[in-house]
């Protein structure tokens, strides 16, 4: 049975960074994220040893297909069931799966079919995990702490991206793929005791409301209608998607090609990516500490505008150090934009729909945005980096236009502490 606490039912809420309940959730989430990073290192190196470069790409991409196809279904599952249990079950499955793979690899050389199968199953479980994670924060803290929790979650993601690969690489160096998969499985196991002790607020339905008995398809359509009809949530989802579709391919694929074009090399690429990551971590830390920023709707427009302009400027500046500085500023605005947008969505969404709303948001990030990678690469090959960066930045700026055109978004404010 879900553990509840009377304190979670009131309007006043303890600051998230001092709330043991939120900190347990954050610890569990961080352990899972680091486990993800270690898993991808183990999977990639195992594929490299088992097959050629083309097969490595196949293995690494295999998990994206079920993740994208099942993400919306995962949102329905998160809304139908206790999201804490969905997260707990997902980490149990991932722990057992990865430890089984570690045992198999310890006994025999990793086979290509085994790695593809693992990636497919892992991607399917991820499709359940991600929407449930998005649905949980409003049920473990008060509305006025959602911005702070969003910042803490973003900071956790950035730190896990920094810590995970070295941990996975060290495990590979010391004990091979079996050791790396074992470390990933143990990190998923580490999250379980923290998740099992979370106090979760039950959903409060209006008196007389009948329980939902619709099919998964009906629930999914109902969720999409909710997003479409909501005057604040709908535009916020569109703004976030435009940002992802416009900038992710540019920053992930375009930055590699830009560095090759300018002759800055792998070290230059590393400096630019590190600058962006440091800026994004600083933006997340700012939200974690401050907890609330005024004029949130206009702040969205401003940070997205600067973020888009900053991404464009990286392709136009003449020197590497200027590009690194622009990447730092771009990351700072990107981290702030993402945290504020996520907090506004969570604060405005009826908790009964949060899983489905999160699944749509994440589908744009992990399902649709990567589809633009080949287009960005082909376009840069045809026209060079600068025109493509300018075009992608202009596309992301459509999100600014959506914010300014939507009164509810333009006037949106994060909840105040009571």
């Amino acid at each position: 049975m879900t553990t509840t606490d009377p304190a979670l039912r009131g309007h006043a809420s303890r600051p998230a960074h001092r709330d043991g309940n939120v900190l347990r959730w954050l610890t569990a989430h961080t352990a899972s994220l680091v486990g993800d990073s270690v898993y991808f290192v183990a999977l990639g190196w195992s594929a490299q040893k088992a097959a050629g470069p083309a097969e490595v790409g196949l293995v690494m991409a295999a998990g994206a297909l079920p993740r994208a196809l099942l993400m919306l279904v995962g949102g329905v599952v998160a809304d139908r069931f206790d999201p804490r249990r969905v997260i707990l079950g997902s980490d149990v499955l991932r722990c057992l799966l990865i430890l089984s793979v570690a045992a198999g690899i310890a006994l025999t050389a990793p086979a290509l079919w085994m790695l593809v199968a693992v990636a497919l199953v892992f991607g399917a479980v991820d499709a359940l995990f991600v929407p449930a994670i998005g649905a949980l924060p409003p049920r473990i803290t008060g509305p006025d702490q959602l911005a702070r929790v969003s910042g803490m979650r973003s900071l956790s993601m950035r730190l896990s991206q920094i810590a995970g690969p070295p941990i996975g690489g060290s495990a590979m160096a010391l004990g091979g793929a079996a050791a790396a998969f074992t470390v990933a499985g143990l990190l998923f196991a580490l999250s379980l005791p923290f998740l099992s002790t979370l106090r979760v607020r039950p959903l409060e339905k209006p008196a007389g409301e009948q329980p939902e008995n619709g099919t998964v398809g009906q629930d999914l359509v109902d969720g999409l209608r909710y997003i479409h009809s909501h005057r604040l949530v709908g535009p916020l989802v569109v703004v976030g998607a435009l940002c992802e579709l416009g900038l992710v391919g540019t920053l992930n694929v375009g930055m590699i090609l830009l560095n090759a074009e300018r002759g800055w090399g792998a070290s230059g690429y590393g400096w630019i990516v590190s600058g962006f990551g440091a800026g994004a971590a600083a933006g997340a830390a700012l939200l974690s500490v401050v907890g609330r920023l005024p004029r949130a709707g206009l702040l969205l427009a401003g940070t997205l505008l600067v973020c888009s302009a900053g991404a464009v400027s990286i392709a136009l500046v003449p020197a590497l150090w200027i590009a690194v500085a622009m990447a730092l500023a771009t990351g700072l605005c990107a981290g702030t934009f993402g945290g504020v947008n996520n907090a506004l969505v969570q604060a405005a969404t009826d908790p009964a729909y949060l899983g489905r709303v999160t699944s749509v948001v994440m589908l744009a990030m992990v399902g649709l945005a990567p589809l633009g990678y080949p287009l960005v690469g082909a376009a840069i090959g045809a026209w060079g980096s600068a025109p493509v960066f300018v075009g992608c930045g202009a596309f992301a700026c459509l999100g600014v236009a959506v914010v300014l055109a939507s009164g509810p978004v333009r006037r949106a404010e994060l909840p105040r502490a009571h």
Side-chain angles (χ1 to χ4, degrees):
M1 181 177 294
T2 302
T3 308
T4 59
D5 189 290
L8 291 175
R9 300 190 185 100
H11 293 288
S13 54
R14 186 181 306 170
H17 60 287
R18 299 176 183 173
D19 188 339
N21 200 43
V22 173
L23 294 177
R24 284 192 294 275
W25 166 80
L26 186 66
T27 302
H29 188 34
T30 302
S32 290
L33 289 173
V34 177
D36 278 343
S37 294
V38 174
Y39 156 75
F40 281 112
V41 170
L43 186 70
W45 278 101
S46 298
Q48 184 268 333
K49 290 186 175 182
E55 287 78 9
V56 172
L58 171 65
V59 171
M60 298 303 289
L65 181 62
R67 187 182 297 113
L69 291 177
L70 299 175
M71 185 69 72
L72 297 181
V73 176
V76 173
V77 172
D79 286 336
R80 281 196 168 200
F81 304 99
D82 174 7
R84 182 186 67 92
R85 291 185 177 181
V86 176
I87 297 168
L88 191 60
S90 298
D91 272 352
V92 168
L93 288 174
R94 294 198 290 184
C95 176
L96 295 176
L97 172 68
I98 300 307
L99 290 180
S100 298
V101 174
I105 291 178
L107 298 174
T108 182
L112 183 63
W113 69 265
M114 178 192 299
L115 298 175
V116 171
V118 169
L120 289 171
V121 175
F122 195 93
V125 176
D126 243 13
L128 300 177
F129 176 86
V130 172
I133 276 290
L136 198 57
R139 295 174 63 178
I140 61 173
T141 190
D144 57 294
Q145 295 300 311
L146 289 177
R148 183 171 274 132
V149 170
S150 181
M152 292 167 70
R153 181 185 174 192
S154 297
L155 186 59
S156 171
M157 293 172 67
R158 297 295 174 184
L159 294 178
S160 68
Q161 290 167 353
I162 295 171
I167 293 173
S170 298
M172 287 287 297
L174 293 174
F181 277 114
T182 299
V183 170
L186 293 177
L187 284 164
F188 293 132
L190 179 62
S191 72
L192 302 180
F194 295 100
L195 289 171
S196 63
T197 56
L198 276 184
R199 302 187 304 274
V200 181
R201 180 194 297 115
L203 287 178
E204 297 179 3
K205 295 188 176 182
E209 183 176 312
Q210 298 298 317
E212 295 182 7
N213 295 313
T215 65
V216 170
Q218 290 170 337
D219 282 0
L220 178 55
V221 170
D222 185 43
L224 295 175
R225 285 175 177 164
Y226 175 84
I227 295 172
H228 181 264
S229 62
H230 200 291
R231 297 182 63 201
L232 181 56
V233 173
L236 286 172
V237 171
V238 171
V239 170
L242 289 171
C243 176
E244 292 290 335
L245 294 172
L247 297 182
V248 169
T250 306
L251 296 173
N252 287 346
V253 177
M255 207 62 70
I256 296 173
L257 300 176
L258 172 67
N259 276 267
E261 186 179 288
R262 293 294 185 86
W264 291 338
S267 62
Y269 171 75
W271 277 108
I272 292 175
V273 172
S274 296
F276 181 87
L286 173 67
L287 274 180
S288 301
V289 173
V290 175
R292 184 181 185 276
L293 296 172
R295 299 184 179 273
L298 292 177
L299 182 64
L300 276 184
T303 51
L304 181 53
L305 180 61
V306 175
C307 182
S308 302
V312 170
S313 69
I314 294 172
L316 303 177
V317 297
L320 175 60
W321 72 268
I322 303 177
V324 173
M326 297 311 303
L328 183 68
T330 301
L332 176 63
C333 290
T336 305
F337 168 85
V340 172
N341 189 70
N342 185 59
L344 285 172
V345 168
Q346 291 196 329
T349 301
D350 184 327
Y353 288 92
L354 257 176
R356 280 165 284 184
V357 171
T358 301
S359 70
V360 173
V361 171
M362 295 305 298
L363 181 62
M365 184 181 298
V366 304
L368 299 181
L371 296 179
Y373 291 0
L375 297 177
V376 170
I380 290 177
W383 301 308
S385 297
V388 176
F389 272 59
V390 170
C392 291
F395 183 87
C397 278
L398 293 175
V400 179
V402 173
V403 172
L404 297 178
S406 170
V409 179
R410 196 171 58 249
R411 295 187 295 270
E413 293 283 3
L414 292 166
R416 295 179 180 273
H418 294 278

